[in-house]
Amino acid sequence: MALITKKIKGTEDVLPKDSYRWQFVEDIMRRESQSYGFKEIRTPVFEHTELFARGVGQTTDVVQKEMYTFNTKGGESVTLRPEGTAGAARAVLEHALDNEGLPIKASYFVSCYRYEKPQAGRLREFHQFGLEEYGTQSPIADAELICAAQSIFDRLGVRQLRLEINSIGCPVCRAEYHSALKEYFEGHKDELCDTCISRLDKNPMRILDCKSPVCSAIAKDAPKIIDYLCDECKEHFASVRTYLDAAGVRYEVNPTIVRGLDYYTKTVFEFVTDFIGAQGTVCGGGRYDGLIEELGGKHLPSLGFAMGIERLLMLMDKQGIEIPKPSGCDLYVATMGENAVVRAFEIIKSVRDCGLVAETDVVGRGLRAQMKYADKIGAKFALVLGENEIEQGFASVKNMKSGEQTQLALNDTFAEKFSVLQLAYSDSFKL
Ligand code: ATP
Ligand code: MG
């Protein structure tokens, strides 16, 4: 029969043989962010469209072109989340988490949906890990956040990932900057793309982030925000740099970074690599002091970052970073005859109860094929169970690597004895 359907363009499956790579990366992200004091938040995959329009920003590419928005049967407009911050911020407000003490430090794993042109490193469904910190204006928080991202990359063994930082100021310094930008781009109005012409009045900074080659060429010589920072923003940026220096985190100041979302203020940063082609930004983040107010809350200065898990895995792959494979199978119980199948079922249950991985035949293979299969799945030990073994109450457990055999009684203590054997084996294995 022909396939009913194929996966949607721009989406990917993670198959059982590969999921350990995701789990490894996620484990490190989880553990590392815990050491920095972040606790996980989980929010829905869809939200009211209004949340992203307000939170991400009306003039952004994400809101203007990329959102998966639809009307529900009840006539509400909902959107699949294009990023993780807006949902987290909404939850912080809805549950008044700021009443429980500041700062609020949250981490998240989310699937994101953006209607973009699929290509290497650019998907329509992709995954992000992110950190969020609400209720602090201290530059220590900016540095702490950047350090947390750097620590994750270090733990994963990722190399040659450039940290680029910038400050895009606050509404005070931006007013003057906007007029300078507007004046500059007005001079190139004939060459700009239609979207950018519409941005000229509403948000000229967005033009700096346009992906069209013509617009980005013009943007190269545009005035730089860093030359327009007010005293407070200048001081904040200098302090962030002092803390990063103190932590030994290396960075470059890149005055062209503005980030793709509207809510950023002051510090912005990206981790960029040349290893994975054009979509080389693995992590992006910064401060968004106005976001919570934009969503109807009080002034709650905040910051965060998101890293793209697919791009990170691509990078690790390109750099040949080996991800340890979890142990395949500790014990395979091969069976001959009806009685043996029942006894094997008991045995694997008791071995599994000890926290080990045990398997037996479930597809009706002959003995030889079972042993071949045990080898294929990397079983460390195998036990052959037939009428004789059951009658005598003993069976030999074979070390599949050395061929060595050990007799174990098939009684209630089998699982414990096997655990000890397995432990001894894993110790000698490590040596
Ligand atoms: P880009 O400039 O590459 O479009 P962005 O500025 O839109 O990125 P953010 O919204 O900051 O990206 O998202 C943070 C991270 O999520 C990115 O640095 C990237 O690693 C990842 N990411 C963003 N969009 C995609 C996508 N369509 N497919 C895969 N990963 C993505
Ligand atoms: Mg984008």
Side-chain angles (χ1 to χ4, degrees), residues 27-77:
D27 273 357
I28 287 191
M29 290 169 167
R30 210 165 256 135
R31 255 186 285 146
E32 209 52 33
S33 54
Q34 276 167 1
S35 355
Y36 280 82
F38 292 83
K39 291 191 183 135
E40 192 173 341
I41 186 168
R42 298 187 189 197
T43 60
V45 75
F46 54 6
E47 300 269 2
H48 294 294
T49 301
E50 176 69 11
L51 175 70
F52 300 115
R54 290 269 291 279
V56 177
Q58 284 289 3
T59 57
T60 59
D61 271 357
V62 171
V63 171
Q64 288 192 339
K65 305 178 191 164
E66 299 171 2
M67 294 208 301
Y68 280 87
T69 297
F70 57 97
N71 285 326
T72 64
K73 285 181 184 159
E76 275 178 305
S77 177

Side-chain angles (χ1 to χ4, degrees), residues 38 55-56 83-86 88-89 92 104 106 108 130-137 142 145 168-169 171 174 236 259 261-269 284-295 298-306:
F38 292 83
V56 177
E83 51 92 62
T85 293
V92 163
I104 303 152
Y108 62 77
L131 295 183
E132 302 275 323
E133 192 161 348
Y134 300 91
T136 165
Q137 24 200 354
D142 304 53
L145 189 80
I168 58 170
R174 245 187 257 169
H236 188 274
R259 307 285 311 125
L261 314 182
D262 269 357
Y263 48 56
Y264 286 104
T265 51
K266 292 198 171 98
T267 317
V268 288
F269 61 91
R287 185 168 267 287
Y288 26 86
D289 288 344
L291 173 67
I292 295 288
E293 270 167 304
E294 185 60 37
L295 297 180
K298 62 181 187 196
H299 180 65
L300 198 67
S302 314
L303 59 161
F305 71 66

Side-chain angles (χ1 to χ4, degrees), residues 391-404:
E391 226 164 75
Q392 288 157 12
F394 275 93
S396 53
V397 176
K398 181 179 168 190
N399 181 332
M400 296 288 275
K401 206 168 168 204
S402 64
E404 201 181 316

Side-chain angles (χ1 to χ4, degrees), residues 419-431:
S419 301
V420 173
L421 189 70
Q422 149 75 22
L423 202 67
Y425 171 74
S426 46
D427 279 351
S428 64
F429 192 68
K430 267 183 219 143
L431 289 172

Side-chain angles (χ1 to χ4, degrees), residues 192 196 207-221:
L192 294 176
C196 283
I207 305 176
L208 300 172
D209 207 38
C210 181
K211 299 261 177 352
S212 122
V214 178
C215 298
S216 44
I218 299 170
K220 272 208 178 81
D221 295 323

Side-chain angles (χ1 to χ4, degrees), residues 66 114 116 122 211:
E66 299 171 2
R114 295 186 192 176
E116 301 199 71
R122 196 173 288 290
K211 299 261 177 352

Side-chain angles (χ1 to χ4, degrees), residues 126-147:
F126 63 97
H127 297 80
Q128 290 184 338
F129 166 73
L131 295 183
E132 302 275 323
E133 192 161 348
Y134 300 91
T136 165
Q137 24 200 354
S138 167
I140 304 178
D142 304 53
E144 157 177 89
L145 189 80
I146 295 172
C147 278

